[in-house]
């Protein structure tokens, strides 16, 4: 086994680090604290470098960054705590459209997505269907050359800043659930769409979106009628290649080490001198190294053109579960000050410890819950009998 | 970056897989439980050239690198093989690194003589040493010196949790073979190699423990269904195998770092060792639990894995101290006054 990165990936790592040093300013980081998980300026700087297009597979006309280079970029951006949710969405949707979309979508959408001008939000989840995503009930009915859409989506994150939503709809209620689904890319300024904020414990804002007799042309359909599950699979495939989430802990660990060196515990000793604290920091660092192994392995598989599934589930499960554990440890070890919100005097390291504690729980829920990951591992890797 | 075994490595793996399958079958493991050592298996291992595979050719070895030893260590864990391969590899490499002309090296390279080492700097007058009951040459580190003792009339083994061939030794009167910075450097390196190879072995052990449990869960019915269809059981196995997979990647990275002499080798080896110790025990404990009462019965193999998952790594001492040692490699010792 050879764990070394090819020289061009190492060079690219340096380029990304320099980019971060220049563009991931305090202002950018601070802009994410108020619930905005996207920063347009930073996003567009990434686009200017050609890195959004670079991530699109070259056989689809993308800029030919290798899977390993992409992994390096995603790693560095996460280590620095950069806002990259929008980047992931742009790359996934552009890739899906280039692979399976019609010319209209390719022309109107892809250039603007890759130049960082526009964003698409994901509209899969509904009030009554989350993990069981194929049970979506939002209806799309064909009416001449038009489609009429009615229904509601839940957790349409970034819809309030995006121009489109990748919408999962039901076009046939009379067949098994996976077989009656169709996808559209719906312009969010279409008449009949309402976006309401959903505020969360983690400060970040999501949305509920409502679709009331929304009329769109057939050119906004992506994939076959009733062939939506193929689009879903393609979206998940590209998401696996690009999705972050492997390194949520390092910014927290770094911030805590800094804090623990400068702050004394009630007995007067520095927090960093406490053996319990030291063991927990080491345990957290070990988990991060394990995440590196998982992340490099999926990058390697992607570079070999292997369609991986279970490996992605394991990566997500381990990274999110360990992050949740770390967030609990670090808030404990900061003591009562750990509770303080951003902006309060004495809030440790700018209040990020509290922020991580409140954010961490969502990472084991969105993008496939830990339970769903374990189901997939049990069935896909261990061959245990299906329970559902 | 290439994260699979190469064709050459695959064939090495096949060769040793059939070796262990024949010479360290679970029946053989059980029949050597009293001594923790299967002398016949070691003899066959000697015939494969295994004991000296990672020694330089100039010392009579096979010139293979640590990556190759890791292939064997993984199988050693899978088969919970009662031969002191890891201790022998790291102790002989240490001796060869200090002196390529050491008089014992030819016999150590063939495996006629077995070597081992004490895994912590010596502090007591006597120490319990891994493979101490079967090793002929034992290395210790004390006061900046590397000491070798000869164990001519095999010390008596101490009965223990994991049926390990451990024994107590005094290092008084041993031969000093290195001192100062050189001694410190090579002793630490050997210890890191032991940790990384042990991490690989524990990962193999844990993976097999999950296999054993999953196989059982596909055969055992309760409430009219296979127990493997219960989600509680599925999720326990899924978490266990995820940690084992993580341990596989980390231990493999540690081996690679030591191989390349990367400056992170010591840290990664310690980290891999600590993570693998927990992952392997968790895998074995999970598997044992899902056997129900039978898991507790001597007759079922999973208990062999459970006991070794604890015993093998504990030969290095309290893991809590190892966490502190790694912390000292990474973290400032004091606050910023
Ligand atoms: C902040 C945030 C942002 C999000 N952003 C988006 C977005 O942009 N677009 C989008 O489409 N969605 C988004 N989601 C939705 C997210 O993907 C879902 O919340 C998630 O898939 C779980 O669905 P659910 O919330 O309906 O929970 P449910 O599916 O109702 O699950 C409830 C509980 O039951 C468990 N469970 C369900 N099925 C099983 C099973 N088969 N076996 C065992 N346990 C099971 C789950 O693990 C969970 O613990 C977001 C969610 C949040 C919180």
């Amino acid at each position: 086994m050879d764990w070394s990165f090819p020289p061009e990936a190492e060079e690219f790592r340096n380029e990304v680090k320099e980019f971060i040093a220049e563009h991931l300013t305090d202002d950018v980081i601070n802009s994410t604290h108020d619930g905005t998980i996207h920063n347009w300026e930073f996003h567009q700087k990434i686009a200017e470098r050609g890195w959004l297009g670079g991530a699109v597979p070259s056989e689809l006309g993308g800029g030919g960054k290798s899977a390993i280079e992409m992994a390096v970029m995603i790693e560095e951006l996460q280590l620095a705590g950069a806002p990259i949710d929008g980047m992931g969405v742009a790359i996934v949707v552009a890739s899906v459209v280039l692979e399976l979309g019609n010319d209209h979508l390719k022309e109107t959408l892809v250039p603007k997505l890759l130049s960082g001008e526009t964003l698409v939000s994901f509209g899969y989840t509904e009030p009554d269907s989350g993990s069981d995503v194929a049970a979506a009930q939002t209806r799309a009915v064909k009416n001449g050359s038009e489609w009429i859409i009615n229904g509601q989506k839940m957790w349409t994150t970034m819809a309030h800043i995006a121009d489109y939503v990748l919408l999962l709809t039901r076009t046939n209620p009379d067949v098994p659930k996976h077989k009656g689904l169709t996808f559209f890319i719906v312009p969010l300024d279409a008449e009949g769409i309402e976006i309401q904020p959903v505020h969360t414990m983690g400060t970040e804002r999501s949305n509920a979106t409502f679709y009331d007799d929304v009329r769109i042309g057939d050119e906004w359909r992506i994939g076959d009628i009733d062939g939506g599950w193929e689009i879903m699979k393609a979206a998940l495939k590209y998401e696996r290649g690009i999705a972050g989430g492997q390194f949520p802990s390092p910014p927290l660990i770094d911030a805590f080490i800094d804090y623990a060196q400068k702050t004394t515990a009630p007995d007067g000793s520095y927090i960093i001198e406490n053996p319990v604290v030291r063991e927990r920091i080491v345990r957290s660092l070990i988990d991060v190294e394990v995440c590196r192994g998982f992340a490099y392995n999926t990058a390697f598989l992607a570079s070999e053109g292997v369609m991986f599934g279970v490996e992605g589930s394991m990566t997500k499960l381990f990274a999110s579960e360990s992050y949740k554990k770390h967030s609990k440890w670090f808030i404990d070890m900061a003591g009562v000050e750990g509770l303080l919100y951003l902006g309060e005097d004495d809030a440790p390291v700018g209040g990020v410890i509290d922020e991580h504690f409140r954010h961490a729980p969502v990472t084991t829920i969105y993008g496939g819950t830990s339970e769903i990951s374990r189901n997939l591992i049990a069935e896909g890797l261990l061959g245990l009998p299906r329970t559902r | 970056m290439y994260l699979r075994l190469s064709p050459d490595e695959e064939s090495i793996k096949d060769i040793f897989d059939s070796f262990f399958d024949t010479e360290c079958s679970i029946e053989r493991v059980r029949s050597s439980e009293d001594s923790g050592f299967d002398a016949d298996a070691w003899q066959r291992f000697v015939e494969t050239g295994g004991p000296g595979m990672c020694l330089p050719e100039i010392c009579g070895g096979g010139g293979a690198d640590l990556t190759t030893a890791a292939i064997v260590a993984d199988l050693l864990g899978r088969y919970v093989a009662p031969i002191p391969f890891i201790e022998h590899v790291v102790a002989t490499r240490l001796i060869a690194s200090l002196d390529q002309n050491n008089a014992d090296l030819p016999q150590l390279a063939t495996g006629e003589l077995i070597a081992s080492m004490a895994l912590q700097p010596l502090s007591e007058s006597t120490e319990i040493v891994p493979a101490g009951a079967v090793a002929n040459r034992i290395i210790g580190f004390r006061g900046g010196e590397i000491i070798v003792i000869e164990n001519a009339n095999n010390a008596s083994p101490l009965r223990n949790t994991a049926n390990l061939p451990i024994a107590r030794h005094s290092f008084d009167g041993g031969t000093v073979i290195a001192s100062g910075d050189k001694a410190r450097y090579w002793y630490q390196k050997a210890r890191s190699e032991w940790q990384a190879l042990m991490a690989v072995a524990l990962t193999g052990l844990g993976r097999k423990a999950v296999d054993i449990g999953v196989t059982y869960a596909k055969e055992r019915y309760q409430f009219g269904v296979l127990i493997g269809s219960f989600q509680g059981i599925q999720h326990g196995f899924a978490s266990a195998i995820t940690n084992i997979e993580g341990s596989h990647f980390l231990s493999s990275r540690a081996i690679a770092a030591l191989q390349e002499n990367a400056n992170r080798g010591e840290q990664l080896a310690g980290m891999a060792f600590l993570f693998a110790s927990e992952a392997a025990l968790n895998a074995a404990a999970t598997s044992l639990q899902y056997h129900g009462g039978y898991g507790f019965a001597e007759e079922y193999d999973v208990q062999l894995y459970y006991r070794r998952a604890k015993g093998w790594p504990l030969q290095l001492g309290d893991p809590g101290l190892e966490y502190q040692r790694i912390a000292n490699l990474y973290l400032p010792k004091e606050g910023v006054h």
Side-chain angles (χ1 to χ4, degrees):
Chain A
M1 292 210 246
D2 173 12
W3 288 91
S4 63
F5 285 90
E8 64 276 13
E10 291 291 5
E11 261 167 50
F12 186 51
R13 188 188 288 280
N14 288 334
E15 196 183 332
V16 174
K17 278 185 179 163
E18 282 163 24
F19 173 86
I20 289 170
E22 187 181 343
H23 296 294
L24 188 65
T25 57
D26 286 350
D27 284 350
V28 172
I29 297 268
N30 289 338
S31 77
T32 63
H33 289 307
D34 65 0
T36 320
I37 55 179
H38 182 70
N39 181 293
W40 279 111
E41 206 186 314
F42 186 72
H43 183 68
Q44 279 156 4
K45 286 276 188 281
I46 291 180
E48 274 170 33
R49 290 288 173 114
W51 293 345
L52 296 181
V56 172
S58 47
E59 60 275 19
L60 299 177
K65 284 272 173 226
S66 71
I68 292 178
E69 287 167 307
M70 275 304 102
V72 162
M73 174 172 96
I74 305 279
E75 177 181 354
E76 288 301 329
L77 288 167
Q78 288 184 76
L79 295 182
I84 55 169
D85 296 66
M87 181 182 96
V89 176
I91 293 168
V92 170
V93 176
S95 301
V96 175
V97 170
L98 284 171
E99 184 186 335
L100 299 162
N102 58 33
D103 288 343
H104 165 75
L105 292 173
K106 283 182 190 163
E107 283 154 23
T108 38
L109 211 60
V110 175
K112 280 198 288 176
L113 268 175
L114 297 183
S115 65
E117 271 170 73
T118 192
L119 273 183
V120 180
S121 51
F122 288 139
Y124 311 148
T125 306
E126 298 188 0
D128 294 330
S129 58
S131 301
D132 187 9
V133 64
Q137 285 171 7
T138 293
R139 276 291 262 144
V141 176
K142 188 110 197 260
N143 180 21
S145 64
E146 270 186 345
W147 290 90
I148 304 177
I149 299 172
N150 280 288
Q152 184 189 339
K153 292 286 168 182
M154 187 60 190
W155 303 114
T156 329
T157 305
M158 294 191 288
H160 62 297
I161 53 167
D163 297 315
Y164 303 91
V165 55
L166 178 65
L167 196 72
L168 176 65
T169 70
R170 177 143 317 274
T171 35
N172 189 344
D174 302 322
V175 290
K177 63 185 176 184
H178 294 80
K179 295 189 172 153
L181 299 167
T182 304
F183 262 104
F184 297 89
I185 294 185
V186 180
L188 280 163
D189 59 5
E191 209 158 311
I193 296 182
E194 195 188 325
I195 300 172
Q196 284 180 6
V198 174
H199 298 289
T200 68
M201 168 177 86
T203 313
E204 60 234 59
R205 170 196 165 151
S206 189
N207 305 285
T209 50
F210 300 84
Y211 306 83
D212 182 14
D213 278 336
V214 175
R215 285 159 194 275
I216 52 166
D218 194 44
E219 69 276 16
W220 295 105
R221 170 165 59 84
I222 175 162
D224 294 337
I225 298 174
D226 294 345
W229 199 244
E230 291 308 309
I231 301 295
M232 192 76 221
K233 284 199 286 193
L236 291 176
K237 171 178 79 179
Y238 292 116
E239 200 170 329
R240 275 183 204 122
I242 199 70
Q246 302 96 335
F247 301 103
S249 294
L252 170 62
I253 300 172
D254 291 347
F256 183 82
I257 292 175
D258 185 49
Y259 171 71
Q261 276 184 78
K262 293 177 184 154
T263 316
T264 50
D267 70 358
S269 65
Y270 282 87
I271 293 176
I272 197 74
E273 294 162 5
N274 176 343
V276 175
V277 169
R278 296 173 77 80
E279 176 169 334
R280 285 178 172 177
I281 294 174
V282 170
R283 285 179 177 274
S284 307
L285 292 168
I286 292 176
D287 289 337
V288 172
E289 292 303 336
V290 172
C291 291
R292 286 211 161 86
F294 277 118
Y296 298 168
N297 178 56
T298 51
F300 165 70
L301 292 174
S303 74
E304 295 261 293
V306 175
M307 270 298 301
F308 57 90
V310 167
E311 290 84 355
S313 302
M314 288 197 283
T315 307
K316 204 249 165 192
L317 176 65
F318 187 86
S320 60
E321 290 290 340
S322 59
Y323 171 50
K324 206 158 75 173
K325 180 178 68 186
H326 305 154
S327 78
K328 286 185 254 182
W329 281 345
F330 287 114
I331 198 167
D332 277 347
M333 299 186 306
V336 64
E337 276 86 4
L339 300 171
L340 298 178
Y341 269 10
L342 179 82
E344 288 301 316
D345 286 349
D346 305 329
V349 273
V352 301
I353 290 180
D354 149 71
E355 241 180 22
H356 280 282
F357 175 74
R358 286 183 292 117
H359 170 68
V362 78
T363 61
T364 58
I365 295 170
Y366 62 19
T369 67
S370 290
E371 290 70 32
I372 296 298
S373 296
R374 292 191 186 100
N375 289 348
L376 295 171
I377 296 162
E379 286 165 21
L381 184 67
L382 302 176
L384 287 164
R386 261 186 104 94
T387 45
R388 287 149 295 134
Chain B
M1 182 171 284
Y2 187 79
L3 305 184
R4 290 196 199 97
L5 294 183
S6 68
D8 282 355
E9 290 171 329
E10 285 288 358
S11 44
I12 293 171
K13 184 174 172 182
D14 287 346
I15 291 166
F16 283 102
D17 197 8
S18 46
F19 166 80
F20 282 113
D21 195 45
T22 319
E23 300 298 333
C24 298
S25 63
I26 208 72
E27 295 76 24
R28 292 279 291 276
V29 170
R30 284 176 176 276
S31 67
S32 50
E33 284 237 281
D34 283 345
S35 66
F37 176 62
D38 186 328
D40 290 338
W42 183 260
Q43 192 47 44
R44 296 286 97 73
F45 191 59
V46 163
E47 288 159 20
T48 67
M53 63 196 281
C54 291
L55 282 180
E57 284 165 20
I58 192 170
C59 306
D65 57 20
L66 216 52
T67 327
T68 316
I71 297 171
V72 178
D74 171 54
L75 292 163
L76 179 99
R78 238 190 125 67
Y79 286 91
V80 289
I83 55 173
F85 169 72
I86 296 177
E87 290 72 26
H88 183 73
V89 165
V90 303
T92 52
R93 277 164 66 87
L94 172 55
I95 292 171
S97 306
L98 293 171
D99 177 11
Q100 292 195 337
N101 301 314
N102 182 296
D104 291 331
L105 266 179
Q107 281 176 294
L108 288 169
T110 58
E112 285 161 80
L113 289 178
I114 297 176
S116 183
M117 67 184 278
L119 298 169
Q120 297 285 358
L122 307 170
S123 56
E124 314 280 331
S125 59
T126 62
E127 301 279 350
I128 294 179
V129 179
V134 298
N136 311 97
R137 299 288 179 273
I138 300 170
I139 295 169
F141 179 76
R142 178 165 56 200
E145 290 177 336
I146 293 181
I147 306 166
V148 181
I149 54 168
E150 293 193 11
N151 177 26
N153 36 347
N154 292 354
S156 57
L158 303 163
R159 297 190 306 135
N160 62 85
T161 309
N163 300 108
L164 284 160
I166 51 180
R168 197 173 269 291
H169 287 281
S170 160
F171 286 77
D172 294 342
T175 314
V176 174
I177 59 169
S179 58
D181 287 348
K182 186 176 166 196
R184 214 175 303 278
Y185 173 84
W186 287 105
Y187 175 76
Q188 181 50 51
K189 187 156 162 69
R191 192 176 180 275
S192 294
E193 289 186 359
W194 186 87
Q195 288 189 311
L197 289 171
M198 180 51 75
V200 172
L202 287 166
T203 307
L205 181 159
R207 202 184 287 283
K208 177 67 180 182
V210 172
D211 278 0
I212 293 172
V214 166
T215 304
Y216 185 76
K218 289 176 184 170
E219 289 164 358
R220 174 76 175 172
Y221 283 86
Q222 284 297 287
F223 299 96
V225 296
L226 286 172
I227 59 165
S229 68
F230 297 133
Q231 203 174 48
I233 285 184
Q234 295 192 345
H235 284 192
F237 281 132
S239 299
I241 198 69
T242 298
N243 287 338
I244 288 296
E245 197 64 12
S247 177
H248 164 62
F249 296 133
L250 183 53
S251 52
S252 160
R253 283 178 60 218
I255 292 281
L258 290 173
Q259 183 61 46
E260 291 153 18
N261 247 324
N263 50 13
R264 293 205 63 208
E266 181 180 349
Q267 283 101 314
L268 284 176
M271 289 178 147
F273 169 75
L274 288 167
F275 191 80
S277 304
E278 292 195 356
L281 184 63
N282 170 255
T286 300
S287 192
L288 191 150
Q289 170 69 16
Y290 298 156
H291 277 67
Y294 294 112
F296 198 58
E298 211 174 30
E299 183 190 341
Y300 281 75
D301 294 337
V302 67
Q303 53 90 9
L304 300 170
Y305 284 77
Y306 178 77
R307 292 188 288 119
R308 282 156 184 77
K310 177 45 78 193
W312 285 8
L314 200 55
Q315 293 181 100
L316 187 122
D318 176 4
L321 299 175
E322 194 59 19
Y323 280 104
Q324 297 304 320
R325 195 182 69 84
I326 308 284
N328 294 342
L329 296 177
Y330 270 97
L331 301 173
K333 293 209 170 84
E334 293 176 353
V336 181
H337 295 260

